[in-house]
Amino acid sequence: MEGAGYRVVFEKGGVYLHTSAKKYQDPDSLIAGVIRVVEKDNDVLLHWAPVEEAGDSTQIFFSKKDSSGGDSCTSEEEPTFDPGYEPDWAVISTVRAQPRHAEPARGAEPGSPRGSWAFSVSLGELKSIRRSKPGLSWAYLVLVTQAGGSLPALHFHRGGTRALLRVLSRYLLLASSPQDSRLYLVFPHDSSALSNSFYHLQLFDQDSSNVVSRFLQDPYSTTFSGFSRVTNFFRGALQPHPEGASSDLPPPPDDEPEPGFEVISCVELGPRPAVERTPPVTEEEWARHVGPEGRLQQVSELKSRIFSGGLSPGLRREAWKFLLGYLSWEGSAEEHKAHVRRKTDEYFRMKLQWKSVSPEQERRNSLLHGYRSLIERDVSRTDRTNKFYEGPENPGLGLLNDILLTYCMYHFDLGYVQGMSDLLSPILYVIQNEVDAFWCFCGFMELVQGNFEESQETMKRQLGQLLLLLRVLDPQLCDFLDSQDSGSLCFCFRWLLIWFKREFPFLDVLRLWEVLWTGLPGPNLHLLVACAILDMERDALMLSGFGSNEILKHINELTMKLSVEDVLTRAEALYRQLTACPELPHNVQEVLGLAPPAEPHSPSPPASPLPLSPTRAPLAPPPPADTAPQPDSSLEILPEEEEDGADS
């Protein structure tokens, strides 16, 4: 839309202000509005204004806008609604609102209560932009000005954050932080300022003005060939300048140091290497690694062989005890026997604790009663098609039940959470001994117990790391998923929660897990396994025009159709492709175990911003408020056949 001296280049409805700090907003605390980017009088403004209820004469609506360059966000877009802050993976079915056609009406009255929340800011006044964490029902943006104040958080109930950021990137340079991928530092598109900075810092060997020209036209393929030096430029821009020195880029306030920044959007990776897996380790090969006194020799070589080929079925019962930390790789045969005796006594002492509880006592112990009920229900439907667990009186079911109840005595804080039976079942199938299976299960839980914590912070962190890897490996796929409201990768939640237990046939799961347990080639191979699956399904997702529901359906239909050897081969190839890149960002190196984690520069912000008064903006973010623990929404997605499996 064009008017006297202005042109609207972007417009998006369904952008709300939340004026209450409550987790669940009541209707009166939500102010619906429209966000616009407007070119006016040689300046570019970001403008938000409220929209009153349907039919009210104070509604703001631009019926047309510029079609030559603005991102189209039409009113026919079907929004997904959810009345809270539950993570995306807890929302399986959605209710879609029917589109309605609004008529143009005049703007909100300046004196109206909601009109007082409207704001307009020049893009040149922005200092940084913070995105919400993935996993919320909708995304939000917090804009910080050069003066240090924060504008009211903009909640995009109908999506559109990436579209807005793309439009802003036409007028600004947005640099993301490796320590906090949700934070963007804002730089102006000022060729003279950038040329001057490049000249003084000697970032490039060729003529700086030519570099800047190509930088603004094609920043990814042109400028980032000198990736490390560009990284240093952005980091240097964050440091206070010496007294008397001029600077074209404003330094941050002394009381709010920013972390270092590096642009990782388009890291140029080399060709993907070919990988060939080897035959499984046999019992004869294992025996050649057993030295005097029964000690294993050349353990690193043995682990490498397990990683590249897995184990033969007859060897798993012995080798898994080492892979899961039950037996020491360095111990002798006699030391192992003594260790097993001690662990056997310890197991039965813990088992006796719950076995000796009378029915009268259990009626007064709601926690134990709840664990027992949940375990009995889950055990009754765990891998019942496997011959080891089929039949109504199968002794394997009793062992599953006893081991899981004993684990509640072993780990009081965690107890039992739905999904643990999926992790125990293959271990008991292979080990076929109650005590040994229990301690192997404990070793596995040491690796994944964070997945089952009520806060779900570990799961959210892994989804963030997965998104980071995928962004480097395939930015086009990430952009596609973002455009279909699937950028949080919530459809991968079950993959990571129980390590692909329900995605592969049972025997393939055994091969996958023993490879992952080697810890090679790095600590997060399971994330590269997820990347490999997405890479294999890339064309099916992107060329089919799937929406978010169709993407979730397609991923669920991959169950039992994947080849574990193909997936492992591709995951290793992705790892080698990443590690061969000399300019791999530090935060990606951290995920792959190639670099130690960087020390945090500042405490993490609250998960959701607190509301701001319409009359005053604080100079610093408020401290995080204590929030009530979230329910374990992972239970919503685990069961596939049973309708009542979500209750716990």
Side-chain angles (χ1 to χ4, degrees), residues 130-133 136 140 142 182 603-610 621-625 627:
R130 181 177 295 281
R131 296 181 69 184
S132 57
K133 288 184 178 180
L136 301 180
Y140 62 80
V142 177
R182 300 183 295 115
S604 299
S608 178
L610 297 177
T627 57

Side-chain angles (χ1 to χ4, degrees), residues 470-490:
L470 194 63
R471 173 66 63 184
V472 174
L473 288 166
D474 196 339
Q476 291 81 13
L477 177 58
C478 282
D479 288 341
F480 167 76
L481 295 174
D482 279 335
S483 70
Q484 302 303 320
D485 295 326
S486 299
S488 62
L489 304 181
C490 61

Side-chain angles (χ1 to χ4, degrees), residues 286 296 311 315-329 336 339-340 427 430-433 435-437 439-441 443-444 517:
W286 179 277
L296 288 172
L311 296 162
L315 182 57
R316 285 184 175 131
R317 184 175 182 181
E318 179 180 2
W320 278 25
K321 298 175 186 178
F322 292 90
L323 289 170
L324 290 168
Y326 177 38
L327 299 181
S328 169
W329 293 95
H336 289 158
H339 177 75
V340 169
I427 294 176
V430 169
I431 302 298
Q432 299 191 11
N433 175 281
V435 175
D436 294 346
W439 290 111
C440 288
F441 173 68
F444 194 6
W517 289 336

Side-chain angles (χ1 to χ4, degrees), residues 247-258:
S247 170
D248 296 299
L249 298 173
D254 294 337
D255 58 348
E256 190 182 356
E258 297 282 2

Side-chain angles (χ1 to χ4, degrees), residues 129 173-177 180 183-187 234 261-263:
I129 301 174
L173 290 176
L174 303 179
S176 61
S177 166
D180 186 352
L183 183 64
Y184 297 89
L185 190 68
V186 175
F187 296 97
F234 283 119
F261 286 81
E262 53 188 328
V263 180

Side-chain angles (χ1 to χ4, degrees), residues 15 28 84 89 106 117 187 213 327 476 508 620:
V15 181
D28 292 336
W89 50 80
R106 63 189 180 90
W117 288 87
F187 296 97
S213 174
L327 299 181
Q476 291 81 13
D508 283 357

